[in-house]
Amino acid sequence: MNPIVELVDNSFIFIVAISVLLLLGVTVAMIYFVFRYSEKNNPKPDQSITGSTTLEILWTVIPLILVLAMFFYGYEGFKEMRNIPPNAMLVKVTGKMWFWHFEYDNKKTSDTLLVLPQGKDVRFELMSADVNHSFYVPAFRVKEDCIPGRTNHMWFHTTNIGEFDIECAEYCGMNHSYMLGKVRVVPEKEYLEWVNRVDTVKKTDSLTAPTGTVPGTVKTDSIKTTQPKVDTTKTTGNKKDTLKVNPKDSLKKNK
Amino acid sequence: MANGSLANEVSYLEYQGKHKGIMGWLLSVDHKRIGLMYLMGIMIFFFVAMTLGVMMRLEMLTPGETIMKPQTYNSVFTLHGVIMVFLFIIPAIPAVFGNFMLPIQIGAKDVAFPRLNLFSWYLYMVGAILAIVSLFIGDGPADTGWTFYVPYSIRSAQNVSITTMAAFVLGFSSIVTGLNFVVTIHRLRAPGMTWFRMPLFVWGLYATSWIQVLATPVIGITLALIMLERFMGVGVFDPALGGDPILYQHLFWIYSHPAVYIMILPAMGVVSEILPTFSRKDIFGYKQIAISSLGIALIGYLVWGHHMFVSGMSDTSRIVFSLLTFLVAIPTGVKIFNWVATLYKASIKFSAPLYYVLGFIFIFSIGGLTGLVLGALATDIHVTDTYFVVAHFHYVMFGGMGIMFFATMHYWFPKVFGKMYNEKLAIVACTVIIIGFNTLYFPMFIMGYMGMPRRYYDYLPQFQGWHILSTVGSWILVSGIVFMFGNLFYALLKGPKASMNPWGGTTLEWKVPSPPPLENFDEIPIVTGGPYVHDKATYIMYPSKEGINANGGVKTVNQEAAL
């Protein structure tokens, strides 16, 4: 079982269940009062009702207990997310406009496609080569930002074999919505075969042929994507800002 | 006796001062005319931003390109956000109805600094014009999202500088208005208007004004630093120059989270006005509602970090911010429970403004409760930066503040314009709005939990069904809104004359003619009781005629000197 997914889904169900009860309570009471105490049904309002200390205490204390329980549930799940198993395998993730770059322990690299062995804990070091990105794998309920100039951490457990979407969740410019990828969880043997296969021509494996492009959907835009000097990004070529650095240079500096 | 002298006065709409025609408006320091001028600007920008929103939904109808390119889409959602937040949501209720009603509700002839008030309107217009100009000059409109996150906002070649400049100027307009209101509430309350006799709308504005004065300078500095960074490369935020992008996020949200309460507190104030009026009884838990406004304002300062749970902030600060975030739910809950309790054993007159308020309570509750999902750490990490967040803040901002702005217009329309609208049509419009609203935004909760990130031009095929539903909702919602404004506009031209107090309200604005005369009151009234007492009079409108010397009475306020 994937512990993080379970914890996130359980706290979600817990919060939503209480919320639905509260919403129903408020809405039903409101609608009932509007009909029961309409001008017609209740021509004389009771002017003596202006408040009740008992009720005020009740609807301060009970919600307080409920939200503290919600906080605790959320905290429990979070603790699991941050509790990175010490023997987890490491993958370095770098977000670039607009694709994902993965680097394994043995220097094997891959773009867009993240191949992982089944039944392993995987730790990620998240970095960015240019602007903020966010590494998001909805199926595993985890995300963490990739911020230039620092390294963030995240982990998950690969439970089932299959392909899962990777999305960039922090807005990063023109092709933000095409900064996608796949987690491919395979049996360990198949993984070892893949990770140790060194391409003689280039060491990069990709889900799709040219870096950062998207299959089929936007042919015209994807040509622009491959070029670093897209009109949205200021590069060294821009005369106005000599101080600004090419995104690729900044990555080197950070290392 | 008393009524005779009032009836002879001309209303603020017809009054002719030193300047005639349009200049009589542009140079007027009358708080009511300034409020109406804000209303004009705000309506125009609301429609512009709404159109942008409809375009976004249309683009989302199909995967891939539907009506625009990605670059255009990014600019459209940025401008939708910037215009809605800075030009509509923040100023709408305080600048329009706060300006108009605050002095009347506390028994004053104007705000404390009428000229400053006019100045802040001009600042608002300058900011608005800058925002519009940024569309047409330079390299195209900003494409950073309304949050202007660095380093993207520093690197983007689009026209980010002018858009941030616009937000900067608008911030000043907000600070000046806030300052004006704080001083007005402290210094210009009528004799006998103690703090706990103030209408709850005034309490809402008071809490809001403090946030405006104390939090807005932070965003001013932050946006100024972005401009310095863009023009001079100072390197406060850009990591390539040794800066820290997380610092930017902290500074941005130190303002922008309290700003959420700038948006919602005045709206909550109006709820507390409308409910007792149509319930024909006092509000339930007056003091708790008043103090919870201050509670929200105070705790609201301390929760900004919940926007950054996945930014790489330390685990300790994530836990602390999560806990504090849950605490802000308590005063909000107290308000909702007290509002519902007000209806108990009331004698409810079912009319259009009340109907909008009931819709507000339902929608805002959904918005508030889904906020709990975002406050909890484990669930937030999954749904932050997805459509779940988009749905949540539209439920709170549009469903909360937006629908209350509509309610406010319907509640005070007869007072502001002296005309009455067709209530049946207003209720029909509201029903269409509530249905459209939920069809538009509820699917976004589901998409968000499924993992649909926000600010996506294109999307994976599994989301398309929900996107279609949501887009259809946007058409229903917009039809409702257009119909509602049409109804009000028709009333403005052809509506029957409204009486002084068409709803049976108990606060001071219902004791002056509709529309009110230039300086609101012939004589500063004396307040003898709470704001929502229905069974006895709590104001002496003509103290001198009843032989009472106001200045020797309960509290001395030199109204004339302040003017």
Side-chain angles (χ1 to χ4, degrees):
Chain A
M1 235 2 248
N2 191 326
I4 294 176
V5 174
E6 209 177 322
L7 283 164
V8 170
D9 286 352
N10 285 348
S11 33
F12 182 73
I13 291 164
F14 175 73
I15 296 171
V16 169
I18 291 177
S19 300
V20 168
L21 285 180
L22 286 172
L23 179 69
L24 278 179
V26 166
T27 312
V28 169
M30 183 176 85
I31 293 172
Y32 172 74
F33 288 162
V34 167
F35 285 101
R36 173 62 188 81
Y37 301 111
S38 68
E39 237 172 355
K40 218 170 76 196
N41 294 335
N42 196 38
K44 269 188 81 86
D46 189 342
Q47 298 292 359
S48 65
I49 303 174
T50 57
S52 150
T53 315
T54 323
L55 278 175
E56 298 291 346
I57 291 171
L58 274 181
W59 62 46
T60 305
V61 172
I62 294 173
L64 186 65
I65 295 168
L66 290 177
V67 298
L68 287 178
M70 291 176 191
F71 162 75
F72 183 73
Y73 257 84
Y75 166 71
E76 285 286 290
F78 177 68
K79 219 168 59 178
E80 181 68 18
M81 288 175 179
R82 307 307 292 171
N83 183 21
I84 301 174
N87 55 351
M89 64 174 275
L90 171 71
V91 178
K92 287 181 180 163
V93 179
T94 307
K96 290 184 192 176
M97 289 158 119
W98 292 277
F99 67 98
W100 295 104
H101 179 78
F102 305 105
E103 190 185 325
Y104 293 81
D105 259 350
N106 66 347
K107 302 289 176 207
K108 163 96 176 177
T109 61
S110 160
D111 285 338
T112 309
L113 174 67
L114 175 65
V115 179
L116 294 174
Q118 188 198 3
K120 280 270 160 42
D121 298 330
V122 192
R123 173 162 76 92
F124 299 95
E125 281 186 358
L126 305 167
M127 289 159 290
S128 164
D130 34 50
V131 300
N132 299 348
H133 303 281
S134 192
F135 185 65
Y136 181 29
V137 191
F140 296 101
R141 310 281 188 271
V142 283
K143 82 161 72 67
E144 187 84 12
D145 287 358
C146 302
I147 309 278
R150 62 184 291 151
T151 306
N152 285 340
H153 301 272
M154 177 181 120
W155 81 280
F156 59 68
H157 184 81
T158 55
T159 311
N160 299 319
I161 290 179
E163 280 203 340
F164 309 96
D165 292 317
I166 298 171
E167 297 166 320
C168 175
E170 184 64 68
Y171 176 70
C172 59
M174 188 172 79
N175 284 343
H176 168 53
S177 67
Y178 294 114
M179 194 164 158
L180 305 170
K182 288 271 184 209
V183 181
R184 182 182 293 161
V185 179
V186 297
E188 186 154 14
K189 213 180 112 209
E190 205 177 306
Y191 165 76
L192 288 172
E193 236 167 67
W194 180 85
V195 82
N196 291 319
R197 188 175 68 221
V198 181
D199 298 329
T200 42
V201 185
K202 57 179 182 103
K203 271 188 79 176
T204 300
D205 262 317
S206 308
L207 193 64
T208 54
T211 300
T213 54
V214 187
T217 43
V218 277
K219 274 277 146 54
T220 43
D221 286 328
S222 59
I223 297 161
K224 281 185 216 154
T225 339
T226 49
Q227 303 162 347
K229 287 179 187 175
V230 199
D231 39 13
T232 46
T233 329
K234 284 190 182 176
T235 52
T236 35
N238 197 330
K239 265 180 263 165
K240 276 184 280 180
D241 37 78
T242 40
L243 276 167
K244 266 153 211 157
V245 202
N246 189 310
K248 288 198 169 162
D249 294 341
S250 65
L251 177 70
K252 279 174 208 154
K253 272 188 189 170
N254 297 334
K255 282 185 176 175
Chain B
M1 38 141 212
N3 295 331
S5 62
L6 265 177
N8 291 332
E9 281 198 46
V10 283
S11 81
Y12 78 100
L13 291 169
E14 290 142 7
Y15 174 80
Q16 293 278 326
K18 214 165 29 177
H19 306 283
K20 306 257 181 294
I22 184 113
M23 294 317 277
W25 286 82
L26 290 176
L27 296 175
S28 170
V29 291
D30 176 36
H31 65 101
K32 300 181 287 298
R33 285 196 171 191
I34 294 171
L36 271 198
M37 290 200 292
Y38 268 115
L39 183 64
M40 304 277 186
I42 278 161
M43 299 298 292
I44 292 167
F45 298 119
F46 174 73
F47 272 94
V48 170
M50 187 178 81
T51 311
L52 293 171
V54 172
M55 280 163 66
M56 283 158 68
R57 278 318 319 164
L58 211 53
E59 173 53 45
M60 289 284 107
L61 193 60
T62 59
E65 185 179 329
T66 311
I67 56 164
M68 58 180 104
K69 297 266 180 225
Q71 188 60 51
T72 317
Y73 181 78
N74 295 344
S75 293
V76 167
F77 76 64
T78 301
L79 287 166
H80 171 79
V82 169
I83 295 177
M84 278 294 187
V85 169
F86 293 106
L87 292 175
F88 174 68
I89 304 177
I90 289 178
I93 293 183
V96 178
F97 293 104
N99 250 322
F100 200 104
M101 292 301 168
L102 167 69
I104 309 182
Q105 283 200 325
I106 62 171
K109 291 187 171 179
D110 208 314
V111 292
F113 309 110
R115 283 186 187 83
L116 200 62
N117 201 15
L118 182 65
F119 176 65
S120 77
W121 181 78
Y122 277 100
L123 278 180
Y124 171 83
M125 290 313 286
V126 169
I129 289 164
L130 279 174
I132 302 298
V133 162
S134 76
L135 285 171
F136 300 108
I137 67 162
D139 303 312
D143 64 338
T144 58
W146 79 279
T147 49
F148 303 113
Y149 268 17
V150 292
Y152 188 73
S153 60
I154 295 165
R155 283 159 197 255
S156 169
Q158 305 288 101
N159 219 340
V160 178
S161 305
I162 293 184
T163 313
T164 44
M165 186 71 194
F168 183 80
V169 173
L170 290 168
F172 271 92
S173 166
S174 188
I175 295 170
V176 169
T177 303
L179 192 68
N180 212 340
F181 284 3
V182 169
V183 177
T184 306
I185 294 167
H186 272 273
R187 303 302 304 158
L188 295 187
R189 280 171 289 133
M193 171 82 61
T194 57
W195 284 94
F196 285 120
R197 282 180 186 169
M198 291 197 312
L200 287 161
F201 180 54
V202 177
W203 271 105
L205 287 173
Y206 184 66
T208 306
S209 302
W210 274 115
I211 308 177
Q212 284 179 305
V213 171
L214 296 177
T216 318
V218 180
I219 193 87
I221 291 165
T222 313
L223 296 175
L225 283 171
I226 286 212
M227 283 183 272
L228 281 180
E229 195 120 345
R230 280 180 70 88
F231 292 129
M232 297 162 65
V234 287
V236 177
F237 302 128
D238 190 350
L241 303 170
D244 184 1
I246 302 289
L247 174 66
Y248 172 81
Q249 297 185 14
H250 277 293
L251 288 173
F252 182 82
W253 290 114
I254 284 175
Y255 164 72
S256 295
H257 196 80
V260 171
Y261 301 108
I262 294 181
M263 305 168 191
I264 198 67
L265 282 169
M268 289 171 153
V270 186
V271 178
S272 313
E273 294 295 316
I274 293 177
L275 280 173
T277 296
F278 295 101
S279 298
R280 301 270 178 272
K281 70 183 267 295
D282 203 344
I283 194 146
F284 194 91
Y286 170 90
K287 276 192 186 176
Q288 283 77 12
I289 294 181
I291 289 169
S292 66
S293 289
L294 297 183
I296 290 173
L298 190 71
I299 306 172
Y301 268 104
L302 308 172
V303 301
W304 77 86
H306 67 217
H307 295 269
M308 302 162 60
F309 282 161
V310 298
S311 69
M313 195 167 61
S314 81
D315 292 355
T316 314
S317 57
R318 295 189 214 194
I319 293 162
V320 171
F321 277 123
S322 169
L323 183 62
L324 290 168
T325 300
F326 276 112
L327 296 185
V328 91
I330 305 299
T332 313
V334 165
K335 275 184 191 287
I336 291 180
F337 297 134
N338 278 302
W339 289 331
V340 175
T342 301
L343 299 171
Y344 178 67
K345 291 206 173 169
S347 177
I348 296 162
K349 183 177 157 53
F350 194 81
S351 22
L354 182 72
Y355 192 60
Y356 279 89
V357 166
L358 300 179
F360 160 85
I361 292 179
F362 174 70
I363 289 176
F364 184 74
S365 297
I366 297 179
L369 291 165
T370 52
L372 299 170
V373 174
L374 293 162
L377 281 165
T379 43
D380 179 80
I381 284 177
H382 174 45
V383 296
T384 190
D385 281 325
T386 68
Y387 266 51
F388 196 93
V389 175
V390 179
H392 163 71
F393 70 66
H394 279 94
Y395 265 84
V396 179
M397 291 294 99
F398 188 0
M401 183 276 150
I403 291 199
M404 274 319 294
F405 180 69
F406 301 156
T408 313
M409 286 197 307
H410 285 88
Y411 183 54
W412 278 322
F413 187 89
K415 180 55 63 185
V416 172
F417 297 108
K419 297 280 179 66
M420 200 57 195
Y421 52 86
N422 184 327
E423 269 201 75
K424 282 207 178 89
L425 293 181
I427 287 173
V428 171
C430 182
T431 312
V432 177
I433 288 173
I434 290 171
I435 293 169
F437 181 90
N438 286 294
T439 321
L440 168 54
Y441 295 113
F442 202 84
M444 293 189 183
F445 283 124
I446 298 159
M447 277 192 271
Y449 203 79
M450 287 164 69
M452 167 79 210
R454 65 191 287 204
R455 295 174 171 173
Y456 260 33
Y457 163 75
D458 200 351
Y459 50 85
L460 296 165
Q462 64 260 38
F463 300 113
Q464 195 182 2
W466 297 111
H467 273 299
I468 292 174
L469 185 60
S470 176
T471 303
V472 170
S474 75
W475 299 334
I476 303 174
L477 177 62
V478 168
S479 330
I481 292 173
V482 170
F483 185 56
M484 180 194 74
F485 278 113
N487 183 34
L488 289 180
F489 195 67
Y490 181 80
L492 198 57
L493 301 174
K494 298 257 168 80
K497 224 173 134 24
S499 66
M500 184 192 266
N501 191 359
W503 310 124
T506 53
T507 37
L508 269 172
E509 78 270 27
W510 303 112
K511 313 281 179 212
V512 297
S514 312
L518 182 67
E519 288 191 320
N520 309 335
F521 305 99
D522 293 338
E523 241 184 276
I524 298 304
I526 289 182
V527 184
T528 57
Y532 309 116
V533 177
H534 279 79
D535 48 358
K536 59 174 190 279
T538 51
Y539 303 101
I540 302 167
M541 294 307 287
Y542 290 91
S544 64
K545 287 183 182 156
E546 303 191 15
I548 305 164
N549 178 8
N551 288 336
V554 201
K555 190 174 181 227
T556 308
V557 180
N558 195 342
Q559 302 274 357
E560 297 305 322
L563 285 164

